[in-house]
Amino acid sequence: MSYKEEHPDWIAPSDFSLDELEKLGFEDISWHNDACPFFENEKHGLNLHVDYPQELSDLPRNPHVRYHLFQYDYDQERKEYDQSGWNSDLLISSNIFADIIKAIKEKLA
């Protein structure tokens, strides 16, 4: 799976850097049934959604924001993050990639 295959019409924000995300343990888990590309750090239970530009987005948001970082709930019994995506908290939404990187680094510290 790759956003290039699953979301060929997606236009990355100009400040987006997949290389920077990969250095922080994220991988591309994009799937065509999702509204936008997704990137995940499974070890730390983090999931980043990067929406399409407003005119192409399927997600009505006002104001329109491109980056959304989520933290999965930690399952104490299984000693792992609940990767289903149904149990997650929004950590930050921003149109600035540097804000997202800062939030990720704080969670990884």
Side-chain angles (χ1 to χ4, degrees), residues 13-26:
S14 60
D15 60 347
F16 176 78
S17 171
L18 182 56
D19 289 342
E20 194 163 357
L21 283 176
E22 288 174 341
K23 288 176 187 173
L24 294 171
F26 281 76

Side-chain angles (χ1 to χ4, degrees), residues 39-107:
F39 305 88
E40 179 181 69
N41 179 317
E42 185 175 350
K43 180 179 177 183
H44 295 281
L46 297 171
N47 189 289
L48 176 64
H49 305 191
V50 187
D51 200 359
Y52 282 79
Q54 185 171 7
E55 62 275 8
L56 300 175
S57 177
D58 290 339
L59 304 172
R61 292 189 178 110
N62 190 10
H64 182 73
V65 179
R66 299 284 306 266
Y67 299 108
H68 306 278
L69 181 64
F70 293 88
Q71 172 80 65
Y72 296 124
D73 288 346
Y74 190 76
D75 186 327
Q76 291 290 342
E77 187 174 304
R78 293 188 342 216
K79 302 293 185 211
E80 62 185 30
Y81 287 98
D82 176 4
Q83 303 292 336
S84 70
W86 296 111
N87 299 309
S88 62
D89 295 316
L90 177 64
L91 297 177
I92 183 175
S93 290
S94 178
N95 280 315
I96 302 169
F97 188 65
D99 293 345
I100 300 302
I101 294 301
K102 180 181 177 190
I104 291 169
K105 288 180 176 179
E106 287 173 0
K107 289 305 269 182

